[in-house]
Amino acid sequence: MTPLAAAVRAAPILEPTRLALVSGGLVFLLMMTLGLLMKATQAGFLPLEPRAFYEVMTAHGIGMVGTAGLTGVAVLWHFLGRYVELDERVFWAFLASFLSGVVLILGAVFVGGFAAAWTFLYPLPAISGGVWAPETAVVYLAGLALVGTGFLLLHLECARALRARWGGLAHALGWPLLFRGAQDPLPPPAVVAAAAVTVFNLLGLVVGAAVIAISILDIVIPAASLDPLLAKNMIYFFGHVFINATIYMAVIAVYEIIPEYTGRPWTTSRIFVAAWSVLLLFVMAVYPHHLLQDTVMPAWTLAVGQILSYGTAVPLVAVTTLGLLSQLHRSGARLDLPAALLVLGVGGWTAGVMPAWIDGIVAVNKVMHNTLWVPGHFHMYLILGQVAFVWAVLLRLARGRDERGLSASDGIVFWLYLLGGAGLALGFLIAGAASVPRRWAVHDPAWIVHDVPGVLFAVMVLAGAAGFFAKAVPGLLARGAAQARG
Amino acid sequence: MQEVVLAASLLAIALVVVAFVKVLRELGPGERRWSGPEQLSRLRGRILWLSMIAGAALALLTLLPWPHAVPTGPAVVSVAVRASMWAWELDPTRVPVGVPVVFHATSGDVNHGFGVFDPSGKLLFQTQAMPGWVNKVAWTFTEPGRYRVLCLEYCGLVHHGMMAELEVLPRS
Ligand code: HEM
Ligand SMILES: [Cu+2]
Ligand SMILES: [Cu+2]
């Protein structure tokens, strides 16, 4: 071990997954503040010009999705490291690539005025109507490519380590158990989940890299051009797979931590393996539900998109939701703040999936697509799902397990966050049902009734989240110091 | 449509909340023996079967007839819709009530979203307006009046200002 590596080991705050989680938590807080700015603007409390609004919207979107990715892989890496030999240098390389990408993206948005939204839907980055320069779009896209390269590296390392330890990804996925009824040694749930996410996120990232590269070429070489429908398919395939991966990585924390509270092992069963393998396919095949209003798409792809939107919800409920409930039921578990957040995460994710799959019905989508219904469901399973898992892991690393359960102040921040998140998401859903479009810098006076309560709920989420962060950070620093001494 | 969707979604969310609250209220004290795995697999089997049957029924009900089907024939009125930053061109801008109208939507630059709102502000239907492609969407208006066209795909700085009017004429 080099002296530098030894020094890093001695100071756990510099342990790369902790660093990723702490900075991720901080960025979540900053990005939530941007969310509050948007809500306050739509409610008429703030005079953000449309130009600034759309920059903030782009930053909030890519900042949140990127941070969900960062914290998701940190959770994955942290728990997968219990079962396989991961090369820590790869995580540092990931962080370096990720950070340099972030610098380019921030520069493009806040210096160059890039505001094509995080989904960079072709050909908007190149054709801005004179608002930002095409070169600025290249900087944004290059930033995305760097961030994506980091994730690609990291998942390749996970795939390598899984294969080295389990003798192939099929074994890590638990296929011998699924198809032959027995497997020894049995991969634990964390390994099965990690293997599935690694496979589908790698495929998503490759498609994402391709569409980013073509979008850049299209700007640099004027003669080049891309079919906008093909680009839309590729972008939504990548975007859908990536944001789903952030949740599926973070949920590993539930499989790993909850059994410590309930005293019941969470073992890999045949149905668990089947569910994750089905999910591995469905997560990719379901993406046309983002194109339900492109009637030129072959009808069967849209029908598959609709059917699989429902189909992906079923394994989630069958395995993770029911699995958690049966873990808890009459277990006598005493839930402290991290455990309560893990339970909230599974509940919020399951709840948020309901309006999401319903929106995947073609006939429903015709009146809900691109209304606030959509931020309604994704804010529910992100704020009360993915991000709740991340706070849980952060607090768990910082404070360990608290045998006394929730303290009074734990309870306050927990309920602030839960009620704020639920109120914000339900408010978006109700506004969507009232036909309020998404991504509008200026709201019609008739819509403002939906925005005003959202401001209050946003403040509650932010206060709760700041509470989690404040509770975690001193613990992390102190623990780091203690471990460095010991 | 929107009211039904909202009610169904709130009901589904409420079911999730009820399940969690019920289990959390029966959290302890711990039983000596955990009957969880067997109980769980029985419950899971039932839920799986039920959800597959319900899912198949729902798919049949909502996919047949195909929601994007477009009528043809002499009675059909066609409207050409062309979007560009940041305006709509509709031709014609007036359509008759009670007759199937087919909108042919395309774009001259980036992706836009062709959304038609009734006079009370309720979204009736939409389709994407995309460069190089023509998406078709059909609607039969039942009430005369002034309908609004709003943009439902983010298209840059004046996305929220991209509006037009469609007049639905009474039967002459
Ligand atoms: C205090 C918490 C939050 C508030 C107040 C908030 C607010 C908002 C608002 C107002 C919008 C724009 C809605 C519109 O289309 O008009 C938005 C979009 C979005 N938010 Fe949040 N948000 C919060 C937390 C989060 C979190 C935790 C995530 C993900 C981890 C997230 C991800 C997104 C994404 C991906 C978009 C879409 C941006 C786009 O349309 O391009 N938000 N949010
Ligand atoms: Cu537009
Ligand atoms: Cu637009």
Side-chain angles (χ1 to χ4, degrees), chain B residues 28-156:
Chain B
E31 275 176 0
R32 225 162 234 292
R33 209 182 71 84
W34 181 32
S35 60
E38 301 97 75
Q39 249 180 333
L40 172 64
S41 69
R42 240 179 299 128
L43 182 65
R44 186 145 58 190
R46 246 181 273 152
I47 290 186
L48 273 177
W49 277 113
L50 209 73
S51 57
M52 276 193 235
I53 295 167
L58 188 73
L60 287 177
L61 269 169
T62 54
L63 290 173
L64 299 174
W66 179 236
H68 287 327
V70 169
T72 50
V76 172
V77 173
S78 288
V79 176
V81 177
R82 189 179 167 81
S84 55
M85 290 159 131
W86 286 280
W88 295 103
E89 269 174 67
L90 271 70
D91 182 23
T93 56
R94 294 168 174 191
V95 295
V97 77
V99 174
V101 181
V102 176
F103 297 88
H104 301 249
T106 190
S107 162
D109 40 45
V110 299
N111 285 274
H112 301 269
F114 175 68
V116 176
F117 292 69
D118 77 7
S120 76
K122 181 172 170 175
L123 175 58
L124 295 178
F125 61 91
Q126 65 177 303
T127 195
Q128 292 267 303
M130 208 188 334
W133 293 87
V134 179
N135 283 314
K136 285 185 232 171
V137 61
W139 191 258
T140 304
F141 294 92
T142 54
E143 295 285 335
R146 292 176 184 280
Y147 289 65
R148 280 218 298 176
V149 176
L150 305 185
C151 187
L152 288 181
E153 185 60 73
Y154 177 62
C155 57

Side-chain angles (χ1 to χ4, degrees), chain A residues 325-361:
Chain A
L325 291 178
S326 95
Q327 272 275 328
L328 292 172
H329 192 237
R330 296 221 183 283
S331 65
R334 186 179 283 269
L335 302 180
D336 58 8
L337 187 53
L341 279 165
L342 291 173
V343 174
L344 169 64
V346 175
W349 179 22
T350 313
V353 159
M354 300 300 157
W357 76 255
I358 292 175
D359 185 31
I361 298 171

Side-chain angles (χ1 to χ4, degrees), chain A residues 283-469:
Chain A
V283 162
M284 294 189 290
V286 73
Y287 87 89
H289 72 186
H290 293 276
L291 291 111
L292 297 181
Q293 299 319 314
D294 287 286
T295 57
V296 285
M297 285 287 287
W300 67 268
T301 59
L302 305 186
V304 166
Q306 163 169 338
I307 291 166
L308 294 191
S309 288
Y310 180 82
T312 42
V314 175
L316 156 70
V317 173
V319 170
T320 301
T321 315
L322 287 179
L324 174 75
L325 291 178
S326 95
Q327 272 275 328
L328 292 172
H329 192 237
R330 296 221 183 283
S331 65
R334 186 179 283 269
L335 302 180
D336 58 8
L337 187 53
L341 279 165
L342 291 173
V343 174
L344 169 64
V346 175
W349 179 22
T350 313
V353 159
M354 300 300 157
W357 76 255
I358 292 175
D359 185 31
I361 298 171
V362 176
V364 171
N365 194 262
K366 216 168 207 160
V367 293
M368 291 302 196
H369 183 61
N370 282 345
T371 67
L372 287 179
W373 187 263
V374 183
H377 56 72
F378 71 66
H379 280 94
M380 193 175 291
Y381 52 70
L382 291 171
I383 296 179
L384 300 182
Q386 203 276 349
V387 185
F389 293 144
V390 171
W391 298 129
V393 176
L394 197 56
L395 283 158
R396 185 57 213 243
L397 286 178
R399 312 200 309 184
R401 184 165 159 200
D402 191 338
E403 304 285 347
R404 291 159 306 176
L406 283 182
S407 73
S409 75
D410 288 348
I412 291 172
V413 284
F414 178 81
W415 282 104
L416 267 176
Y417 188 77
L418 196 174
L419 295 177
L424 184 71
L426 287 173
F428 273 133
L429 287 174
I430 292 168
S435 300
V436 181
R438 76 180 282 203
R439 292 174 161 173
W440 274 44
V442 182
H443 273 190
D444 218 74
W447 302 337
I448 286 176
V449 287
H450 299 293
D451 301 321
V452 173
V455 175
L456 174 70
F457 291 126
V459 171
M460 288 168 66
V461 177
L462 201 52
F468 298 146
F469 192 74

